[in-house]
Amino acid sequence: MKKHIGFFFITFLTFFNVSAQSETVTWSTNVEKHTDDEYTLIYKVAINDGWHLYSQSVPEDGPIATSFSFENEGVDFERIGKTVESEPHIEFDQVFGMEIPFFSEEAQFTQRIRLLNKEVKVIKAILEYQTCDDKACLFEPGIELMISLDGSAVVTEKKEIDEESKALTNQLKLELKDKDKYLKGESKGESNLLKIFILGFLGGLIALLTPCVFPMIPLTVSFFTKKNDKDKSGKSKAFLYGFFIVFIYLLLSIPFHLMDSLDPEILNNISTNVWLNVAFFVIFMFFAFSFFGYYEITLPSSWGNKMDTASGIGGAIGVFFMALTLAIVSFSCTGPILGSLLVGSLTADGGAIQLSAGMVGFGVALALPFTLFALFPSWLKSLPKSGGWLNTVKVVLGFIEVALAFKFLSNADLVEHWGLLKREVFIGIWIAVFVGMALYLFGKIKFPHDSPLQKLSKGRLVFGLITALFVGYLGYGLFGGDLKLLSGFPPPEFYSLQEKESDCPLNLNCYKDFDEGIAYAKEKNMPVILDFTGWACVNCRKMEENVWSDTQVYEELQKYVLISLYVDDKRELPTGEQFDFEKANGQVKKIETIGAKWATFQTVNFEAASQPFYVLMTPDYRLLNYPEKYTDKATYLQWLKDGLQNFEGNQTPQQNIFTIPTTN
């Protein structure tokens, strides 16, 4: 799989030299003379128990094949035919997901040659090969084997790779070798899916309480229950109606799965794109003033009319178009909520699959009352009557939309470093927004569609007091207090109007350039933590403000050299550092910004495109533990301690992942 990824991947190569110090195979050589100028070179390899050596021919995207090259070939001698290998085993490899030919215990390779220079006494072969067991893979890039043509065997020692050899390497790929640990890590993703589903469900419940949806519940339910109670078709159609509502909202997420499969970085690029975030700011402000009642946002009425006409077809098709009519007619209220869910899911770890989970949750919440009230029509009597309270809900949502709008503008400001919405400015704007919301709930502010307020209801009073308390909490944060409940929403603490000791999280010492950080770690002989992060990454801020701030975690972090690589930094690289990166499908991606450089670095090396993403390693690129993602304090603390213990013990941990490079 050819990928040309530039100079900044080259430095990882020496990692394999360090990790490969334990001998997994032993090579020996021999020679067979046929005539004065024709010989057969014989390479035998004894393979340690539990290890595999791969064939010369392996499938694309599989492990690294064994290969032979020869010094002075074409000058001192020439090959006769190809290098012949002994019969390999062929089995399905669970890690690579394909059938792969390999050798265990022993193997033999032979190469017939013809001398062009009869003065030659020694043939030097350079081997490249990969060995794997069930936990790790080691790559040997440049083992030299000397064969004397008089038949004496020579076993050579491994050489340290020099700078010239390293410069020839411009591909690096990481693969997980311990699937149990990997799957264990994936369970966190399942937990995140549940959280996103619940958030989507809550969003759907809020949408139910808007003037666009709530009045439609009794109208729609009466359609399904108007037939005789003995006729079960009404209730079965109600179930079908609910199913189609969920299905329609699920369909909205399908295009993002297609984009995600084309490029794993695309969802992150969408969520951090400067002009998209500015566009979201404008759109959300537009939605907010619609919620305030200054105008209505609706899809073309002809769409709703056509769907309504189609719903009269009857049968399942008619029920589907009824559900589609609901989605279209209610768009003016559900659109802003869905927009929040859309953008929030794209910035979270998991991308499109989490968006689907949120959309399904939203659809389930919308479908649930229509189905339940169709099954139990008497419950309709318990529903509150439509009235001014529905508009109150809509206006409150308008204030929330304004607050979210400034979050998108803040994302653009952070990734471009405009300096417009520093932390204090952002919090100040939120204070103003929620002061306005509190005044509205207390009846001090009115909007166009508000009914005359005769008496302040208990509901408005309670929510007004909660909003006032929230304003006080924001004020506490404005004057330096921790806003842990809002981690990820305000800009990071170091992005401040005040002069800060450090531009790193929690005033830690950090580097934002990989080479600089590694150089310091080598000088001080300290372990490294690679922090793949983002300016607009909500979960990154949550980790920094909720996990890193823990006293024990903070102490452990100071024992590492922190290298924070921002994958959404839109500042351009110097012209001399820009380059083209060739993807596996042959497409060329231009690496022109700092963020593109580190995002590609993460994707190619770790096959991951989500943030936060943490890697522990030595200054000479030996991994000290599994990469970690968004997690809890206890897990993260133990992970840091284990990595430090492995570093201090100067040993490769029992459970590990290893990089696999491929040279040109």
Side-chain angles (χ1 to χ4, degrees):
M1 183 170 58
K2 295 288 177 98
K3 295 179 181 178
H4 305 287
I5 56 179
F7 68 93
F8 60 91
F9 302 124
I10 293 171
T11 51
F12 266 94
L13 184 59
T14 52
F15 163 68
F16 306 101
N17 295 314
V18 176
S19 65
Q21 286 178 355
S22 61
E23 293 185 2
T24 61
V25 298
T26 302
W27 289 89
S28 61
T29 62
N30 210 332
V31 65
E32 180 180 341
K33 183 176 180 180
H34 302 290
T35 66
D36 287 341
D37 60 354
E38 288 193 11
Y39 297 81
T40 294
L41 311 178
I42 302 170
Y43 304 88
K44 292 183 179 180
V45 55
I47 305 167
N48 290 359
D49 290 343
W51 290 86
H52 293 159
L53 172 73
Y54 293 99
S55 167
Q56 296 177 94
S57 300
V58 297
E60 186 178 2
D61 294 340
I64 296 172
T66 300
S67 66
F68 292 79
S69 59
F70 296 90
E71 190 174 273
N72 295 327
E73 181 181 358
V75 177
D76 291 339
F77 67 94
E78 63 182 4
R79 299 194 209 191
I80 302 175
K82 297 180 179 179
T83 304
V84 178
E85 64 185 26
S86 52
E87 189 68 24
H89 306 286
I90 299 178
E91 291 183 7
F92 185 83
D93 191 298
Q94 295 290 339
V95 174
F96 293 101
M98 61 183 72
E99 288 190 339
I100 297 176
F102 66 92
F103 305 99
S104 58
E105 296 185 357
E106 63 180 11
Q108 178 173 295
F109 301 84
T110 60
Q111 176 65 63
R112 188 155 179 159
I113 65 168
R114 178 184 297 112
L115 295 182
L116 302 176
N117 178 6
K118 292 187 179 181
E119 299 299 320
V120 173
K121 301 299 181 184
V122 176
I123 302 294
K124 180 192 288 188
I126 297 98
L127 280 67
E128 290 190 355
Y129 60 90
Q130 175 183 321
T131 54
C132 294
D133 67 359
D134 59 352
K135 294 179 181 177
C137 284
L138 303 179
F139 174 63
E140 297 284 2
I143 299 299
E144 294 183 359
L145 292 181
M146 312 285 283
I147 298 181
S148 61
L149 296 181
D150 60 10
S152 58
V154 180
V155 178
T156 60
E157 295 182 357
K158 179 180 152 189
K159 289 177 59 178
E160 286 297 322
I161 199 162
D162 57 21
E163 291 299 319
E164 183 179 357
S165 299
K166 283 191 276 187
L168 295 176
T169 299
N170 59 3
Q171 176 178 351
L172 188 66
K173 180 180 176 183
L174 265 173
E175 301 211 19
L176 282 164
K177 292 297 163 193
D178 190 317
K179 299 300 280 188
D180 292 336
K181 177 70 176 180
Y182 177 60
L183 293 175
K184 180 180 178 182
E186 284 191 331
S187 66
K188 298 175 188 176
E190 294 171 6
S191 174
N192 285 337
L193 288 181
L194 179 61
K195 291 178 183 178
I196 295 292
F197 174 86
I198 293 172
L199 288 174
F201 186 83
L202 293 174
L205 292 180
I206 293 172
L208 283 170
L209 301 178
T210 60
C212 314
V213 181
F214 189 82
M216 297 184 70
I217 296 175
L219 292 174
T220 306
V221 170
S222 65
F223 172 82
F224 293 119
T225 58
K226 65 183 179 182
K227 295 187 177 182
N228 190 298
D229 288 341
K230 295 181 181 180
D231 185 352
K232 303 297 183 183
S233 65
K235 293 182 177 180
S236 64
K237 286 183 177 179
F239 274 113
L240 194 60
Y241 183 70
F243 168 78
F244 280 137
I245 290 175
V246 177
F247 180 68
I248 287 168
Y249 285 106
L250 174 62
L251 284 178
L252 294 176
S253 70
I254 299 301
F256 294 93
H257 285 271
L258 299 177
M259 289 189 291
D260 200 12
S261 64
L262 291 174
D263 183 352
E265 296 172 34
I266 194 167
L267 298 182
N268 183 63
N269 291 337
I270 290 174
S271 64
T272 61
N273 181 276
V274 175
W275 302 116
L276 277 178
N277 273 280
V278 171
F280 282 133
F281 167 74
V282 174
I283 291 169
F284 271 56
M285 292 296 289
F286 189 64
F287 277 134
F289 280 87
S290 171
F291 275 175
F292 291 150
Y294 291 107
Y295 44 79
E296 286 292 324
I297 301 174
T298 59
L299 293 174
S301 59
S302 59
W303 292 15
N305 294 335
K306 289 179 180 178
M307 296 305 106
D308 191 39
T309 302
S311 66
I313 295 174
I317 296 177
V319 175
F320 171 79
F321 282 109
M322 282 187 67
L324 191 56
T325 301
L326 171 69
I328 291 173
V329 172
S330 63
F331 177 79
S332 62
C333 292
T334 60
I337 300 172
L338 283 173
S340 304
L341 178 62
L342 168 68
V343 181
S345 297
L346 291 181
T347 57
D349 181 22
I353 187 64
Q354 291 194 166
L355 177 59
S356 293
M359 288 295 189
V360 169
F362 187 90
V364 168
L366 275 186
L368 202 58
F370 291 97
T371 304
L372 289 177
F373 285 123
L375 290 174
F376 308 100
S378 59
W379 289 6
L380 284 170
K381 298 178 182 178
S382 63
L383 274 181
K385 294 182 179 179
S386 300
W389 67 274
L390 286 175
N391 191 67
T392 300
V393 171
K394 197 174 179 182
V395 171
V396 167
L397 288 176
F399 281 106
I400 295 174
E401 290 290 314
V402 172
L404 290 175
F406 278 96
K407 170 58 183 169
F408 296 121
L409 187 59
S410 173
N411 288 345
D413 178 64
L414 282 166
V415 299
E416 283 288 350
H417 304 277
W418 290 332
L420 298 176
L421 291 177
K422 293 295 183 79
R423 183 177 176 88
E424 296 86 350
V425 176
F426 180 91
I427 294 174
I429 290 172
W430 269 37
I431 288 175
V433 170
F434 288 102
V435 164
M437 180 171 156
L439 291 174
Y440 171 75
L441 289 169
F442 289 137
K444 304 301 181 181
I445 298 175
K446 290 187 66 177
F447 287 93
H449 291 256
D450 283 325
S451 304
L453 188 62
Q454 304 296 334
K455 181 182 178 182
L456 196 63
S457 66
K458 290 182 179 179
R460 288 185 70 144
L461 180 61
V462 169
F463 280 106
L465 290 173
I466 292 173
T467 305
L469 288 174
F470 183 64
V471 169
Y473 179 68
L474 289 172
Y476 167 72
L478 184 62
F479 293 100
D482 290 331
L483 295 179
K484 291 190 176 182
L485 294 177
L486 294 175
S487 295
F489 278 89
E493 292 183 3
F494 59 82
Y495 194 70
S496 170
L497 292 173
Q498 302 176 17
E499 190 71 27
K500 293 290 183 180
E501 297 178 13
S502 168
D503 63 349
C504 303
L506 307 177
N507 285 326
L508 288 163
N509 292 323
C510 77
Y511 292 86
K512 294 188 172 68
D513 180 83
F514 177 79
D515 293 327
E516 290 180 6
I518 289 295
Y520 181 82
K522 286 181 177 179
E523 178 187 344
K524 300 296 183 181
N525 191 30
M526 292 176 65
V528 172
I529 175 169
L530 288 185
D531 166 31
F532 289 99
T533 184
W535 291 104
C537 173
V538 172
N539 283 346
C540 302
R541 299 294 87 74
K542 287 181 179 179
M543 283 293 295
E544 293 162 5
E545 295 170 19
N546 295 337
V547 176
W548 287 16
S549 62
D550 177 80
T551 303
Q552 290 181 291
V553 173
Y554 190 81
E555 289 177 358
E556 293 299 312
L557 283 170
Q558 290 181 308
K559 299 173 184 177
Y560 289 87
V561 174
L562 174 62
I563 303 177
S564 295
L565 305 177
Y566 287 80
V567 303
D568 58 0
D569 195 323
K570 304 304 181 184
R571 290 176 297 176
E572 284 198 359
L573 289 165
T575 304
E577 295 182 19
Q578 298 180 13
F579 62 96
D580 292 338
F581 162 53
E582 185 180 342
K583 300 181 183 179
N585 60 10
Q587 294 181 342
V588 175
K589 173 183 178 181
K590 291 188 176 298
I591 307 299
E592 297 176 336
T593 66
I594 294 173
K597 173 180 176 177
W598 300 132
T600 308
F601 184 35
Q602 181 190 0
T603 302
V604 173
N605 284 290
F606 300 96
E607 294 187 353
S610 59
Q611 294 80 40
F613 190 86
Y614 307 105
V615 179
L616 300 183
M617 56 186 286
T618 66
D620 51 7
Y621 317 120
R622 178 169 56 86
L623 299 188
L624 295 170
N625 208 336
Y626 286 91
E628 188 58 86
K629 298 183 181 180
Y630 181 82
T631 188
D632 57 87
K633 292 179 185 177
T635 302
Y636 198 78
L637 177 62
Q638 189 60 49
W639 178 74
L640 288 172
K641 288 182 175 180
D642 289 345
L644 196 64
Q645 183 177 1
N646 286 327
F647 178 77
E648 292 172 347
N650 194 28
Q651 60 182 3
T652 303
Q654 291 298 310
Q655 294 183 335
N656 201 357
I657 64 172
F658 292 90
T659 49
I660 305 170
T662 303
T663 57
N664 277 352

